[in-house]
Amino acid sequence: MVQYNFKKITVVPNGKDFIDIILSRTQRKTPTVFHKGYAISRLRQFYMRKVKYTQQNFHEKLSTIIDEFPRLDDIHPFYGDLRHVLYNKDHYKLALGQINTARNLISKIAKDYVKLLKYGDSLYRCKSLKVAALGRMCTVIKRIGPSLAYLEQIRQHMARLPSIDPNTRTILICGYPNVGKSSFMNKITRADVDVQPYAFTTKSLSTAVLFFLDISGSCGYSIAQQAALFHSIKSLSMNKPLIIVCNKTDLQPLDGISEEDRKLVMEMKAEAMKTVIGQGSEPTNEEGVLLTVSTLTEDGVIAVKNAACERLLNQRVEFHVALPKPRDQKERPACIPQAVLETKAKQAAEKEKRKTEKDLEDENGGAGVYSASLRKNYILSNDEWKEDIMPEILDGHNVYDFIDPDILLRLEELEREEGLRQEEEEGDDFEMDGQELSPEEQEALAEIRKKKSMLIQQHRMKKSTAESRPVLSSLGLDPSLAINRARSKSRGRKRERSVDRREGDDGDAMDIDDNQASKKLRLRSTSWSRSRSRPPSEVVPGEGLKDSAQKVNAIKLAKKSVLKRNKNARRGEADRVIPTLKPKHLFSGKRSIGKTQRR
């Protein structure tokens, strides 16, 4: 059952109201307070959030309009034709297309300005970019103002349309005003008739059309005018049951009209007969095509109702399979390709799948009744032995107590076999002896072994120390100095007592071997000389400074730049904490009587 409730479509605001709604929501839902001391990254995020939030609101509102309005290609053809008659589907699609284009433009504007805001270098620049972004979005909405107003008018008109199910059988009553349509409806139904100038279309509807004709002329329209209306709308009711209903026969009977009017009525009857022929009935069957009725005296009301219902029920879709007539006695069987036959056979074989234990359980009574056999997969010489019952007592003895008398011999055989297999596995280590190789393979093997030994020697030389390398000696150099230097650097520095060099020693002082002490000091000063630090003015490669003078100047400027920061007790460049100048616990409350020197 296809029913559409067009009253639930959201109201479409005009361009000015649309902008006011979105901007006020942005103002309410996003932060509005910031300080000049904020970092530039925080200012960028502040304005980027406003631009993104505005774009999201525009996108949601426009998407709601596009999604809630019915698409002509998705709804029932009856409603599609009704939209075309009422609003011209080209204008309708154009308006929705402009809404969609505006949505895409706003998304693109927001994306571009967010990129620009990422590189905003000041508060003024970020604020200007935000204003420009919102301004361009509002300009796009102003340009689609006529489309929004057009869609709002369509929404209001669609909300007033009656709800019609196109899949049910329907009787359509048409004609000029005051010809008796509402009176006929009040007689056959309990509906409260709503008189509205609805658009007329019966395409894609299962309907029976009743054209009411006032033959008395009391409605204010002559029979000629009513006949002209009938001929103008008959194309809309093609291939549908059509009945001509002559109303108000209590004022003027059908036989009492003039010849000209009778001729017009007969022409209308002939057009209605074409629908009878189109439904497959005989052209001589004129019953139910031209009927007379009087809604005042209720004469013929039930007959018109029954005729319309019968014609409507007879209009059912029937499918006929066309079979060709045989032209001769030759048999022409169906020609099915071999590949198709093979595919069908394969599909039939796949359907006959192997039965599982679950299938067998369902076939044999289900759970609790069927017990799965664990012996059916035993591999025995005879399948009949699978279900045999194994005896427990045989010849008065327990079967499970039987012991083979040769069990120890069999155990020794198994252990011997296991030992032989272990020896074979140990002797199967792969080692190329070269006896079973050809001369070319033996040469290749010798080359590989030579290269392998060279690689091993090179690796050992790299890992060896200067003491074990015979490189210096092979070059004719003495490696003893290098070895001693390496040993002296590797040995830890010991603390020794310094020589007492006091002037004016008296004769009671201990004699010291001056030559030995001076020699020891000289050796220590040469071998354990202290390393010197690099001066601050020395330029290190990669610092980007030209010479030492430029580096000294840079160091002075760096020290000067941090003076103010150090004076304010800042931790670094990003420390922008505003301290509490007047602590509340020292400046609040009443001052008691007494001294205030502590303050």
Side-chain angles (χ1 to χ4, degrees), residues 29 70 77 81 246 306 310 319 373 403 453 455 487 502 551 562:
K29 298 292 184 179
D81 297 334
C246 297
N306 294 335
E310 289 178 2
F319 296 95
S373 176
I403 298 176
S453 62
L455 292 174
R487 287 177 177 175
R502 292 176 296 177
K551 185 172 182 180
V562 299

Side-chain angles (χ1 to χ4, degrees), residues 337-350:
Q338 185 65 26
V340 177
L341 295 176
E342 293 177 357
T343 304
K344 289 185 177 180
K346 186 177 180 180
Q347 292 176 354
E350 290 178 354

Side-chain angles (χ1 to χ4, degrees), residues 263-423:
K263 184 177 179 180
L264 295 175
V265 172
M266 291 298 109
E267 291 179 357
M268 296 168 63
K269 180 181 178 181
E271 293 292 338
M273 284 297 299
K274 294 180 181 179
T275 61
V276 176
I277 298 172
Q279 289 181 343
S281 302
E282 296 181 359
T284 57
N285 187 9
E286 298 183 357
E287 296 182 359
V289 177
L290 181 63
L291 300 175
T292 58
V293 66
S294 175
T295 55
L296 181 62
T297 60
E298 299 185 4
D299 185 15
V301 172
I302 303 299
V304 172
K305 175 184 175 182
N306 294 335
C309 293
E310 289 178 2
R311 292 283 302 276
L312 190 60
L313 291 175
N314 292 333
Q315 188 193 19
R316 289 176 294 184
V317 179
E318 297 180 1
F319 296 95
H320 301 278
V321 180
L323 297 177
K325 294 182 179 180
R327 59 189 179 189
D328 50 20
Q329 300 299 326
K330 185 177 180 181
E331 294 184 1
R332 295 178 176 84
C335 181
I336 302 175
Q338 185 65 26
V340 177
L341 295 176
E342 293 177 357
T343 304
K344 289 185 177 180
K346 186 177 180 180
Q347 292 176 354
E350 290 178 354
K351 290 181 180 179
E352 298 178 359
K353 61 180 182 178
R354 180 178 62 88
K355 290 185 178 180
T356 61
E357 290 293 335
K358 180 65 176 176
D359 299 334
L360 295 174
E361 180 183 355
D362 296 338
E363 292 177 1
N364 297 303
V369 179
Y370 172 77
S371 179
S373 176
L374 302 178
R375 301 181 180 180
K376 62 182 178 181
N377 294 324
Y378 285 1
I379 301 175
L380 301 177
S381 300
N382 190 353
D383 292 340
E384 295 180 357
W385 297 348
K386 293 181 180 180
E387 301 299 332
D388 290 350
I389 299 175
M390 297 181 64
E392 297 182 2
I393 305 297
L394 183 65
D395 297 335
H397 299 282
N398 192 349
V399 175
Y400 293 100
D401 293 339
F402 174 75
I403 298 176
D404 190 359
D406 300 332
I407 188 170
L408 297 177
L409 296 177
R410 296 180 183 275
L411 179 60
E412 290 179 0
E413 291 178 359
L414 289 174
E415 291 178 351
R416 193 181 305 112
E417 183 180 356
E418 184 180 3
L420 292 175
R421 291 192 176 185
Q422 290 180 355
E423 292 177 358

Side-chain angles (χ1 to χ4, degrees), residues 180-193 298:
K181 303 186 295 297
S182 301
S183 301
F184 178 77
M185 288 291 296
N186 292 331
K187 294 296 181 182
I188 63 174
T189 65
R190 297 178 181 177
D192 186 10
V193 180
E298 299 185 4

Side-chain angles (χ1 to χ4, degrees), residues 44-60:
R44 292 170 185 164
Q45 292 294 333
F46 178 84
Y47 287 109
M48 280 194 290
R49 181 177 178 182
K50 285 185 174 293
V51 173
K52 289 180 181 178
Y53 189 79
T54 306
Q55 181 266 332
Q56 290 174 0
N57 288 333
F58 276 122
H59 189 276
E60 291 176 0

